Structure formats: C-alpha cells, structure tokens
C-alpha cells in the first residue's frame, strides 16, 4: 500500500510546473489563447521533453508510462492554464492504443510521441448527452473504404490538430474514424474559456480508407470517456491549486480595517473550505488515475467520484477565488478570472456532476 | 503508487478476520460475560495498544497493520479493543512520552487491561475553543498541588476513574500557552464533584466537574510544570489514521442505502427520486474522499514525513457527514422518522433519529468545525492568526 508518487513522478511534476512558470507564463498563455491556443515551437519543445508520448509504448517512440503519470503532467500544466492540446493528444493516444490494430498503431503513434503530429478525439454529437446513442455521425461502406456524414460539435483542439479521431456509427457498430485536418471543415466554436479552444467538425461526404476506421465497443467508448473525465479532473486539481495559492497570497497581503483580510474568519474559513475540497478531489483524482491502468474495472466509479466532486467544488473555488479578491478579481487584467472561466469549461466536459452522481448511485446499488 | 498489500499484510488481515469469526458471536448470542472475554482475548493477542512499544506492553505494530486491524474491526462492527478510549488514544501515549518511570509502571498496564477508564479535563465554562486560556488553578504547597476550579463538557466523567487535567500554575504569563500544567487526578479524590449534564438526545455522557482544594501529589504531574500545553498538543497528535472511522462511515452509508430502498415518498419508491439518489451519491463521494485522503496521509506517515494539520480535512468531512446523513434519513422517512426508540413507527429502531440528536459528540468534541477551519487556514495556508 503506497498512495504516493515516485521520485521520478515528483521530478516530472516540478519540471512541468517550471516550464509553465519560465517558458509559458501567464502573459504568454493569454497571447496564445487569443490567437487560437497553439505554438509550434512550444509544442516541439514539450515533445522533445517526452511529455507527448508518456502513454505511448517505447516500441512506438514513447515512454510507455501510465495514466497516473499523465495525470501528473496535466495537473502541473494546468497550474498555469496551459492552452496547448496536451490532454486531447493524450486522449487520442489512448484511443489508438485501445482501439487500433498493430499496423494502425505503427502508422500513427511514432509521429504523436514526438509531437510531429497533433491529434485529438471527438466522441459525442450532442453538447449535453453522454451515451452511445449520442453518436449520430456515420461511416458508410464505399468502394475504397468509407464515406462519412455528420457534424461533431465542440471537439477540443480541433483547429490545432493534424489528425482527428471521431466517433461514428459504422457498418458494424461504433467506430472511430481517423481524418486529416485538410479533409474536413473545421469551424471554431469559441467558449468563455479561450485557453481551451473548441470547434465543430463537419465530415459530410469525407472519404476515408478502410484502414482509417477503428472499430470501438461501447466498453471502449466508456473507457475513453472516463479517461477524458480523468484528464479534465487532473487539470482541475492543478488549476484549483493555482487559484487557491493566488487567493491565499492576496489574503495575506491585502490590508483592510488595519489587518490582512486573511486574518478575518469570514475569509479564512472560506479559504479552508476551498482547501478541503481541493484536497479531497485531488485524492479521488489520483486514485482514479491509478485505476485507469491498474484496476480498469474500478475506473468508472473512481472517475465518477472524482469528477462528480471536482466539477462543483472547482466551480465554487473559482467563484470564491474571484470573490475573495473583491473588485480586482473581476478585472480582465487580473488572472483570477481565467481560472473561474476554466472551472466553467471543465464542468460539463465528459459528464457534469449530475451525470457522475447518477452513475455513483447506480454503481453503488441504488 | 500501489494499492496492493504485501503477503505479510494480507496474512495479518486474514489473522484478524479469523480471530473475529471465532470470537465475535452475533449480537443476540452474546452473554453478559462476552465483553470481558473479548477484552481479555484481544489483549492476549497484543492488539490493544497495538502500535505502542513492547516495553510498555504494546506490540510495536506498524502503521499499515494498525490500519488493517482498525479496518477489519470496524467492518465487523466489533466492540472497542479497550474500555478507555481516551486512555488508549492520548493519555497512554502522553504518559509514555512525558511520564516518569513510576507513572509509566502505574498507569500504562491498567489502560491496556481495561481496568481504568480515563476522561479528559480540558474545557472550562469560559474557555472551550479558546482552550489555552484555561483558569482552573493548581498551586504547589509542599509536595502537593492544590486544585481549585471547574471543568465542563467532560465526556465520560460520570464513569471514569482518572482524569488528565489541564490546570494553570502561573497567571502572569506573556503567552496564555505558558503556565499550564498537566496533572493526573483520581476522580474519587476528596474535593472532586461530578455533576452529569443531560444532552439533547437524553444521554448523560458528559459532566461538569468542580475541584475544591483537591490535593494532587506532585508525582502525579505529567511533564514539567508549565509544559502542559506542549504535553496536550503532542498527546493529541497521537491520534493516527482515521481509516477505522472511514470504514464505519461506509457501513453507515450501506445502512442508509438499505433504508432508501425500502422507503416510499409521495407513494413512489424513494430510490427512483433523482434528488435522493444524488444526495446519497454525494455522501459516498465525501466518504470516499475521506478514505483516499486518509491513505495519502498514511503514506506520508509511513515515509516518515510529519503530518501537520491534514487530519483536520477529514474531521471537517466527518462533521458535515454526521449531521447530514442522519438528518437526511430522518427527513426521508417523514413523520415516522421523528420517532425515537420505542416509538410504534420508529424507523430502524430509532437509530437515525437518535444519532440526529447526537451529532455534537463528534462535531463539537475535539474542536468545532470552525476551529478546524482556523487550523487549516493558519497552519496549511499560512493565514495570520486572529
């Protein structure tokens, strides 16, 4: 029994946090997110550091690590609200590892591990429904492969991806269609969080080769959805920690009525509650991260406990983070608001708290 | 990261389970000697004071084994391993750390053998949360301290034989944390008067205690004069992992789910009501958070990293769960939920309604939620003290 991180994992976390502070600090994040969220040089750099191939086996050029390591990177990157598509890329890697055959893995994974190709994953065709029935895009057999139809809304990082894996109803059931960015029509769908670019992807009439369709079972779809929820929760851990740090520092410095506001229990207790919630969904997130590879049977419940807790708790942390700052927190110039926006973005991703609470109830025998 | 146990740890778990199945009969089959037999047997196993050093009669057991022991005992709803909860939790560890050789010989075996029950004399009428400001006076006259003052809300006072008592031996101090002295006092000493207080659930678990010219020999002082605050703080830090507590919370959650399954609201099964399902799921989420917080803290302890105030996190969860789960069960079952034990329509024998009135035991005892929030904000987030 050891619920702690290894020396290597702690070093990795430090390395990613330092990268965010030194190479991609908040002014750079703001610049990037105002211009679509991508920077090729930064992406190449993190590719060279190995962060883009964490989950990819060594045989395909990656590091062959586990989701718990991916959680470390996503958490640390989110302390600086990293806009780069690390989570999307990791999910696409997992989708290929889960659904592809060896030839397909060999075709895609090496370029993904190095960062040469940016990939993303789009699962559902309804902005507010997580269910196999919410996949309505289709792949129909054609002479040389398949022809696609449908529009996938709110695909994360679609505008910055070279390849997209999109869930479709294929001739033999669910499948993932691999398409290149030139083949599809991508229309940005701005949301309140510009550090998380999203776009709709129109695949009407797009032809793909036979080996670009990856069959996917409903269990695999659930697994990928759970990994998505895990990735978002890991980011909520890092972002939650950052806004709590920002707010705590402010509460120590801001003097009102002759005292630092952090000395008043109205402020102090709110901060303590933020800490309790952050600490709690952090523990649940790490357990879910471990389950992804070491106890997949337990993943659904573990992820729902974590994301169910984090969705509402991080939302409240965002509100209190801004609120405890007073008017300065409300300004565009100050960073607190960016974390609040991230909390709004994270809430519905891969299931809101109601979705996950319902699943906890069902899995728990109700 | 690894949630598996070693072969030795699994063997220990198996040993505990076997012991329980052999020695813990169903409630209906237990006779009046059951508890004494149980206490003797767990003592013979070395499971009382399991983590205590062997020289004091403990087993020097490791943290994981201790966690397994607590988990399995809680799972089996076994009786406690000793009758002096406070003796085992902090009085004993305090004596082992600060006591004289004579004190260790005199007090430790009786705690382990469940011969003596201890209570804790901390709160006073004017000093509860602000504990360090206590005023109960102890003056040294010759070889005795003479104690005058009052304690209140002392849990277990009506049936305890000894009290660990915080007194003030010096009044003109710069910091209120100075000048406090810890004394070990028999409850039958002349001048000690216990007046039990009835709580809102109808129980008389706590009491006020009056001390009038009580003579306490100087050899009953624990630690140096004026070191009482240090003794108290480090003794309370001996409260270790809360894993056994988490197992109890999971058991309570299962009971709650069973209740939900047989309850009808507005003529419909309660378990089909989304708000009921989500509320129960939220309880499960918090209890699971307590579990994994606890395992993270346990890992820190095993690695030898000191815990600062992290346990306050789980104390806050426990406090809100204690209030909310019983409250939910009572509200779920309508007017029947209001009946106490013995009521013709009482739900689950009045278990929920009773504990819905008993939550302050857990929520206020050992530091109110707002005190826990102060601790977290000041010690973990670095906020300035009030």
């Amino acid at each position: 029994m050891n619920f702690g991180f290894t020396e290597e994992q702690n070093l990795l976390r430090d390395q990613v946090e330092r990268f965010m502070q030194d190479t991609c600090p908040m002014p750079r994040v703001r610049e990037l997110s105002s211009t679509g969220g991508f920077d090729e040089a930064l992406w190449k750099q993190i590719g060279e550091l190995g962060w883009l191939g964490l989950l990819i086996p060594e045989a395909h050029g990656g590091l062959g690590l586990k989701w718990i390591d991916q959680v470390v990177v996503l958490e640390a990157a989110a302390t600086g609200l990293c806009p780069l598509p690390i989570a999307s890329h990791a999910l696409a890697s997992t989708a290929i590892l889960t659904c592809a055959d060896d030839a397909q893995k060999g075709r895609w994974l090496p370029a993904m591990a190095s960062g040469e190709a940016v990939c993303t994953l789009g699962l559902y065709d309804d902005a507010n429904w997580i269910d196999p029935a919410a996949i309505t895009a289709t792949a129909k057999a054609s002479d040389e492969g398949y022809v696609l139809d449908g529009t996938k809304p709110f695909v994360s990082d679609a505008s910055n991806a070279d390849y997209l894996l999109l869930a479709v109803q294929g001739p033999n059931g669910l499948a993932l269609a691999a398409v290149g960015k030139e083949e599809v029509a991508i229309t940005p769908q701005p949301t309140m969080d510009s550090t998380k670019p999203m776009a709709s992807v129109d695949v009407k009439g797009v032809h793909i080769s036979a080996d670009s369709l990856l069959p996917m079972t409903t269990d695999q779809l659930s697994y990928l959805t759970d990994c998505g929820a895990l990735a978002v929760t890991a980011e909520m851990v890092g972002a939650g920690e950052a806004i709590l740090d920002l707010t705590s520092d402010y509460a120590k410095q801001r003097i009102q009525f002759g005292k630092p506001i952090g000395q008043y229990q109205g402020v102090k207790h709110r901060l303590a509650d933020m800490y309790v919630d952050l600490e709690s969904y952090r523990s649940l997130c790490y357990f879910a991260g471990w389950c992804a590879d070491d106890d997949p049977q337990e993943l659904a419940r573990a992820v729902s406990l974590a994301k169910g807790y984090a969705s509402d708790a991080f939302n409240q942390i965002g509100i209190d983070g801004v609120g405890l700052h007073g008017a300065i927190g409300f300004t565009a110039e100050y960073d607190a608001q960016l974390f609040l926006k991230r909390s709004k973005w994270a809430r519905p991703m891969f299931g809101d708290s109601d979705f996950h609470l319902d699943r906890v109830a069902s899995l728990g025998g109700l | 990261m690894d949630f598996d146990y070693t072969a030795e740890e699994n063997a220990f778990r198996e040993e505990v389970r076997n012991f329980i199945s052999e020695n813990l009969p169903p409630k209906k089959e237990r006779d009046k000697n059951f508890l004494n037999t149980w206490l003797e047997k767990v003592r013979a196993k070395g499971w009382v004071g399991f983590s205590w050093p062997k020289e004091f009669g403990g087993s020097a057991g490791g943290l994981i084994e201790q966690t397994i022991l607590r988990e399995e005992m809680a799972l089996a709803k076994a009786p406690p391993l000793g009758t002096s909860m406070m003796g085992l939790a902090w009085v004993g560890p305090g004596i082992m750390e600060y006591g004289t050789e004579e004190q260790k010989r005199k007090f430790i075996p009786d705690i382990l053998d469940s011969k003596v029950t201890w209570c804790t004399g901390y709160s006073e009428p004017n000093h509860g949360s602000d504990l360090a400001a206590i005023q109960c006076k102890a003056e040294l006259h010759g070889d005795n301290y003479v104690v005058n003052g009052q304690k209140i809300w002392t849990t277990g006072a009506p049936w305890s034989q000894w009290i660990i008592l915080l007194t003030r031996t010096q009044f003109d101090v710069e910091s209120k944390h100075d000048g406090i002295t810890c004394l070990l006092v028999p409850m039958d000493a002349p001048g000690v008067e216990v007046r039990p207080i009835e709580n809102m659930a109808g129980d008389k678990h706590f009491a006020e205690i009056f001390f009038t010219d009580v003579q306490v020999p100087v050899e009953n002082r624990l630690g140096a004069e004026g070191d009482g605050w240090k003794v108290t703080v480090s003794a309370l830090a001996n409260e270790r992992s809360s894993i056994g507590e988490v197992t109890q919370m999971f058991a309570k959650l299962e009971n709650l789910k069973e209740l939900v399954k047989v309850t009808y609201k507005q003529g419909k099964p309660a378990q089909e009501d989304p708000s009921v399902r989500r509320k129960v799921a939220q309880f499960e989420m918090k209890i699971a958070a307590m579990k994994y917080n606890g395992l993270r803290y346990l890992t820190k302890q095993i690695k030898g990293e000191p815990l600062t105030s992290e346990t306050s996190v789980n104390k806050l969860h426990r406090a809100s769960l204690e209030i909310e789960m019983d409250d939910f069960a009572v509200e779920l079952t309508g007017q029947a939920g209001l009946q106490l034990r013995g009521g013709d329509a009482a739900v689950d024998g009045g278990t929920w309604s009773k504990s819905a009135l008993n939550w302050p035991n857990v929520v206020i005892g050992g530091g109110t939620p707002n005190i826990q929030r102060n601790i977290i904000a000041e010690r973990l987030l670095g906020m300035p003290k009030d």
Side-chain angles (χ1 to χ4, degrees):
Chain A
M1 216 300 300
N2 169 12
F3 194 10
F5 289 96
T6 62
E7 203 53 40
E8 290 78 17
Q9 287 165 333
N10 288 330
L11 285 172
L12 181 62
R13 174 182 283 115
D14 289 349
Q15 194 188 23
V16 177
E17 281 182 10
R18 252 199 335 271
F19 173 84
M20 290 311 297
Q21 286 155 16
D22 301 343
T23 314
C24 191
M26 221 35 115
R28 185 85 188 100
V29 167
R30 284 175 181 260
E31 252 171 49
L32 281 180
S33 57
S34 68
T35 54
F38 196 68
D39 178 311
E40 190 134 1
L42 283 180
W43 186 255
K44 284 238 166 77
Q45 198 178 337
I46 65 173
E48 280 160 20
L49 290 165
W51 303 347
L52 300 175
L54 286 185
L55 299 170
I56 297 172
E58 288 173 68
H60 295 298
L63 296 179
L65 298 175
K66 294 179 173 181
W67 257 97
I68 189 63
D69 304 286
Q70 189 68 55
V71 163
V72 168
V73 168
L74 290 170
E75 175 193 332
T79 58
L81 294 182
C82 184
L84 297 171
I86 303 175
S88 295
H89 199 71
L91 288 170
S93 309
T94 302
I96 291 169
L97 288 167
T98 307
C99 302
D101 62 29
D102 285 345
Q104 289 165 326
K105 286 178 192 168
R107 189 170 129 210
W108 287 310
L109 292 175
M112 291 175 72
S114 65
E116 201 181 307
V118 184
C119 290
T120 190
L121 177 69
L123 293 179
Y124 301 100
D125 297 282
D126 186 310
N128 202 13
W129 192 19
I130 291 175
D131 192 272
I135 296 170
T136 50
T138 55
K140 294 205 169 85
S142 68
D143 295 343
E144 289 163 25
Y146 301 94
V147 58
L148 308 180
D149 193 11
T151 304
K152 196 134 306 242
F154 295 105
V155 178
S156 286
D157 304 302
S159 302
N160 297 321
D162 300 305
Y163 293 98
L164 304 93
L165 293 165
L166 304 172
V168 292
Q169 302 285 349
N172 303 308
L174 285 175
L176 288 170
V179 296
K181 65 174 172 188
E182 298 84 4
E183 304 164 72
V184 294
I186 296 172
T187 313
Q189 289 184 291
T191 71
M192 61 171 82
D193 182 6
S194 56
T195 67
K196 282 288 186 185
M198 304 179 97
S200 72
V201 181
D202 188 343
V203 296
K204 214 164 291 158
V206 173
H207 287 268
I208 60 169
S209 61
D211 60 359
S212 289
L213 194 74
L214 291 59
M216 174 171 65
T217 64
T218 51
D219 281 352
Q220 288 169 334
L221 173 65
S222 303
Y223 181 75
L224 295 177
T225 307
D226 287 340
C227 288
L230 172 62
V232 173
T233 308
E235 291 179 332
M236 289 195 274
V237 173
E241 182 184 296
I243 177 78
L244 178 56
D245 284 349
L246 188 68
T247 312
S248 296
D249 287 344
Y250 184 77
K252 281 180 240 178
Q253 286 156 15
R254 171 73 172 166
I255 309 286
Q256 286 292 279
F257 306 104
K259 290 193 220 169
I261 60 169
Q263 201 165 344
Y264 299 106
Q265 291 195 337
V267 172
K268 194 179 263 189
H269 288 184
R270 208 41 247 151
L271 289 168
D273 287 339
M274 290 161 80
Y275 180 87
V276 168
D277 281 339
L278 171 64
E279 189 73 353
S280 298
Y281 74 73
R282 178 195 296 277
S283 295
L284 292 169
C285 174
Y286 293 163
F287 177 63
W290 179 81
C291 285
D293 289 294
D294 289 279
D295 192 1
Q297 293 295 317
E298 190 56 28
L299 181 65
R301 188 206 302 260
V303 157
S304 279
L305 289 167
K307 177 88 186 0
Y309 197 128
S311 290
D312 289 346
F314 179 41
N315 183 60
Q316 191 61 46
I317 288 172
I319 290 169
D320 288 332
V322 166
L324 289 172
H325 277 89
I328 185 80
F330 187 31
T331 60
E333 188 188 349
Y334 198 77
D335 291 336
Q337 52 107 0
L338 298 175
F339 291 90
L340 178 141
K341 288 173 180 168
R342 174 61 70 87
S343 76
K344 302 295 181 205
W345 176 86
R347 223 174 178 187
M349 292 302 294
F350 301 100
D352 63 3
S353 58
D354 283 348
F355 172 85
H356 288 291
L357 287 170
D358 288 344
R359 208 161 63 147
V360 167
S362 301
L363 291 170
L366 285 187
Chain B
M1 200 168 285
D2 168 16
F3 289 86
D4 296 327
Y5 291 90
T6 64
E8 291 79 24
E9 288 158 358
N10 282 326
F12 180 69
R13 190 184 291 278
E14 204 50 40
E15 184 188 344
V16 178
R17 282 186 184 169
N18 288 339
F19 176 88
I20 287 171
S21 71
E22 281 162 26
N23 294 292
L24 190 67
K27 274 207 168 112
K28 284 173 195 157
E29 294 167 27
R30 295 177 195 172
D31 60 20
K32 66 179 193 303
N33 289 326
F34 161 73
L35 190 61
N36 282 335
T37 316
W38 168 262
L39 291 171
E40 278 167 27
K41 284 188 173 166
V42 291
R43 177 80 181 99
K45 273 295 214 182
W47 291 349
V48 191
F50 180 72
S51 63
W52 294 11
K54 287 189 174 155
E55 54 174 312
F56 298 123
S59 288
L63 276 166
I64 293 188
E65 283 82 3
Q66 187 185 10
T67 302
I68 290 171
L69 179 64
R70 288 188 178 181
E71 223 169 40
E72 292 301 321
M73 288 293 169
L75 210 59
K77 299 193 178 80
L81 301 179
T83 54
S84 185
M85 188 278 277
M86 296 179 196
L88 290 166
W90 56 79
V91 181
I95 292 172
M96 288 188 289
E97 190 172 353
Y98 292 99
T100 60
E101 284 312 308
E102 199 195 332
Q103 286 171 341
K104 290 173 193 169
R105 267 199 309 279
K106 180 172 175 189
F107 294 116
I108 298 292
D110 284 350
I111 291 174
L112 291 172
D113 294 333
S114 289
K115 285 188 180 151
V116 165
T117 300
W118 284 81
C119 60
T120 307
Y122 286 174
S123 294
E124 295 180 4
N126 292 321
H127 307 286
S129 290
D130 184 12
L131 182 60
I134 52 141
Q135 297 293 306
C136 181
K137 184 164 78 174
E139 277 178 304
L140 190 58
H141 290 282
D143 291 338
N144 284 302
Y145 284 98
V146 178
V147 180
N148 280 287
Q150 190 187 344
K151 294 286 168 181
I152 195 166
W153 321 127
T154 314
T155 301
W159 58 82
S160 292
Q161 289 88 33
W162 281 79
I163 184 169
I164 182 167
L165 188 66
L166 275 195
T167 63
R168 183 162 293 285
T169 41
Q170 204 187 340
F171 284 80
D172 55 336
V173 283
E174 262 180 43
S175 158
K176 62 189 176 185
H177 300 93
D178 298 332
I180 294 174
T181 298
C182 188
L183 300 177
L184 308 173
V185 184
M187 293 296 280
D188 61 0
V192 177
E193 190 199 343
V194 178
R195 291 187 200 157
I197 302 170
E198 182 173 332
N199 70 23
M200 70 174 163
D203 295 328
K204 291 182 179 173
H205 290 157
F206 54 24
E208 50 187 341
I209 313 176
F210 297 87
F211 297 85
T212 314
D213 293 330
V214 177
Q215 303 273 330
V216 181
V218 76
E219 60 258 32
N220 279 11
R221 187 185 66 214
L222 182 61
E225 185 170 299
D227 271 356
W229 187 253
K230 192 175 81 184
V231 172
T232 305
V233 169
S234 75
L236 286 176
N238 278 291
E239 275 192 279
R240 282 187 172 177
S241 88
S242 50
I243 296 301
E245 199 172 78
V246 170
T247 311
Q248 286 166 7
M249 300 303 285
F250 272 119
K252 188 165 178 169
L253 180 73
E254 286 313 306
N255 292 341
L256 188 62
K257 285 182 184 172
E258 291 310 310
L259 179 64
V260 166
K261 285 181 193 169
V262 298
T263 301
Y264 280 70
K265 274 189 89 163
Q266 291 295 114
K268 292 179 195 138
Q271 69 165 325
E272 290 171 12
D273 179 340
S275 70
V276 168
R277 298 170 66 82
R278 286 175 190 162
K279 193 74 199 162
V280 175
Q282 276 173 335
F283 294 143
E284 183 161 345
M285 222 163 64
K286 278 196 181 177
I287 299 170
M290 283 178 75
K291 174 177 174 180
Y292 293 107
N293 286 339
L295 290 175
R296 273 176 59 219
Y297 301 152
L298 180 69
T299 301
K300 271 184 96 173
Q301 285 180 305
I302 291 168
K303 288 182 179 166
E305 297 169 35
L307 285 189
T308 43
S309 306
E310 286 92 341
T311 46
S312 288
V313 171
N314 275 357
K315 281 191 182 148
L316 278 169
H317 278 313
R318 173 95 196 268
S320 67
L321 284 164
E322 282 293 335
I323 296 173
E324 289 171 18
M325 288 174 78
D326 297 318
D327 184 58
F328 173 81
V330 168
E331 197 258 346
L332 179 75
T333 47
Q335 286 146 334
L338 302 175
Q339 280 202 319
L340 295 165
R341 188 184 310 160
D344 59 308
V347 176
D348 288 344
T351 316
W352 302 103
S353 51
K354 173 85 174 177
S355 51
L357 298 177
N358 244 332
W359 56 262
N361 264 340
V362 175
V363 174
I364 295 175
T368 67
N370 282 343
I371 290 295
Q372 306 300 341
R373 291 187 180 95
N374 282 354
I375 290 172
I376 289 171
E378 290 167 12
R379 297 190 202 158
L380 297 170
L381 296 173
M383 290 305 123
K385 283 182 173 273
D386 284 326

